[in-house]
Amino acid sequence: GLALRVEIAPELPEVVSLDPTRVRQVLFNLLSNGIKFSDAGSVSLQVRAAERGSEPQLEFEVIDTGIGMDDATMARLFQRFTQGDDSRARRHGGTGLGLEISRNLARLMGGDITVRSTPGVGSRFCFRLPLRRLEPEALPPAEPDALPVRAMQVLVAEDHPVNRKYMAALLERLGQPARFVENGWEAVQAVQERRYDLVLMDVHMPVMDGIAATEAIRALRTPAARTPIVALTADAFAETRERCLRAGMDDVVTKPLSVSDLTALVAHWCAAGATDAHGNPVPAPAEGLDEPPLLDRQVLGEVLGLMPRDEAGA
């Protein structure tokens, strides 16, 4: 029931130099938080150029009409394991880790994140980066997505309803049947009930997180203990990747996943010696299917392409 608005200033250059993966991660986190803490109204993304000192800045401002925050909450907002509203934390899950990671990523890219908020009115998060202009170049047309050669049985453990809907649309486009669970405990139960070719495991979840769930699955005395598990996380730091691998996860990928990211991931596990329900080896996909396309499509365009026409136009 929320309106989502995107406003891009017309004077912005056509091409700039950025780290697209990290910028997407930060925007995904800020927009997700705006949606999570707004029961009515809208969430807006405004993109513009600004002059701050001698260096031009690119500003992404996420504005919501949600519950807002007082000064005390804002003072501790970017601390690890802090969430603005305890009742919302219990309702939606999560640890508050996303904002600390987002601000660290912004600072590593030479920028920062600031916030203004009023209780009961809403919040404004401003994500600033140095504006580095580039000359437009002729880009080759994007390659069509390479589809995996067979349908796999995929289990997705993800607590956020928006993320589940997005992942379901991606997997449906790839022809991959999937079951969704909302926390790590449910994932452990699910792999004991039936066989899965691949588990996509969110790291931060309520009840039982992805690390603990993976350790519990690896400790099972059944073939389910060998199920391939790939971590999904917005945390791009090396220490998180190491924790996931130590727990027994087979790989770690960062959110949000694009169609090309997921295509490459599924194709890789198709080729990784998987077997069918009778234990027979499955033929590897054709050569080149495990290589992601050179061009990364914009996530917003993919979401619109995945949604039914009536929802995409709403």
Side-chain angles (χ1 to χ4, degrees):
L2 296 173
L4 177 63
R5 302 187 177 97
V6 179
E7 302 173 18
I8 302 177
E11 67 271 15
L12 282 175
E14 184 178 348
V15 182
V16 298
S17 176
L18 292 172
D19 183 331
T21 299
R22 303 298 175 246
V23 170
R24 277 202 308 273
Q25 286 179 311
V26 173
L27 292 177
F28 189 79
N29 177 251
L30 296 180
L31 288 166
S32 294
N33 281 343
I35 294 168
K36 180 188 298 185
F37 292 100
S38 298
D39 290 325
S42 65
V43 177
S44 301
L45 171 62
Q46 298 179 358
V47 190
R48 57 183 175 264
E51 293 292 337
R52 294 187 177 272
S54 59
E55 186 178 40
Q57 298 277 308
L58 179 63
E59 292 187 347
F60 302 89
E61 189 166 31
V62 176
I63 307 165
D64 67 62
T65 57
I67 60 175
M69 295 172 285
D70 56 23
D71 291 341
T73 300
M74 285 191 285
R76 57 187 174 87
L77 190 63
F78 293 99
Q79 298 174 13
R80 186 167 290 213
F81 306 118
T82 295
Q83 202 139 24
D85 179 85
D86 290 340
S87 63
R88 292 285 177 125
R90 288 192 293 269
R91 185 166 122 198
H92 293 282
T95 61
L97 192 62
L99 283 176
E100 188 225 11
I101 293 170
S102 294
R103 188 177 65 174
N104 287 343
L105 289 175
R107 289 179 173 178
L108 287 171
M109 292 186 285
D112 205 351
I113 296 177
T114 57
V115 59
R116 292 180 293 155
S117 187
T118 303
V121 176
S123 302
R124 305 173 73 101
F125 285 83
C126 189
F127 169 32
R128 299 186 182 94
L129 292 172
L131 176 56
R132 302 186 178 100
R133 300 169 183 264
L134 293 177
E135 290 300 319
E137 297 178 357
L139 298 176
E143 295 288 334
D145 295 316
L147 296 178
V149 297
R150 70 180 181 98
M152 301 173 68
Q153 297 299 316
V154 180
L155 175 68
V156 182
E158 167 63 65
D159 64 305
H160 198 291
V162 175
N163 293 349
R164 287 199 300 272
K165 188 171 184 178
Y166 177 63
M167 287 294 297
L170 290 182
L171 289 164
E172 182 179 355
R173 174 167 174 172
L174 295 180
Q176 299 298 324
R179 176 182 174 186
F180 287 81
V181 295
E182 298 183 12
N183 58 63
W185 184 86
E186 291 180 358
V188 176
Q189 302 305 307
V191 299
Q192 297 179 81
E193 295 169 1
R194 58 168 298 176
R195 178 184 177 278
Y196 290 95
D197 298 302
L198 179 64
V199 177
L200 301 178
M201 184 81 75
D202 187 24
V203 173
H204 301 293
M205 292 183 290
V207 184
M208 177 185 283
D209 66 20
I211 299 289
T214 299
E215 292 172 339
I217 291 172
R218 295 298 183 233
L220 296 173
R221 298 182 178 274
T222 66
R226 299 189 295 274
T227 304
I229 302 174
V230 175
L232 303 177
T233 179
D235 186 342
F237 294 114
E239 62 187 60
T240 299
R241 179 178 178 84
E242 291 169 3
R243 285 181 61 223
C244 292
L245 297 178
R246 283 199 306 269
M249 292 180 173
D250 298 282
D251 199 1
V252 182
V253 297
T254 54
K255 297 190 294 188
L257 281 176
S258 66
V259 173
S260 56
D261 293 335
L262 189 60
T263 300
L265 177 66
V266 174
H268 170 78
W269 288 105
C270 277
T275 59
D276 60 22
H278 303 289
N280 301 314
V282 174
E287 183 178 355
L289 287 190
D290 57 346
E291 293 295 327
L294 294 177
L295 294 179
D296 191 5
R297 299 182 178 184
Q298 293 190 15
V299 172
L300 180 59
E302 290 178 345
V303 172
L304 290 174
L306 292 166
M307 293 174 65
R309 184 177 299 274
D310 57 341
E311 292 188 28

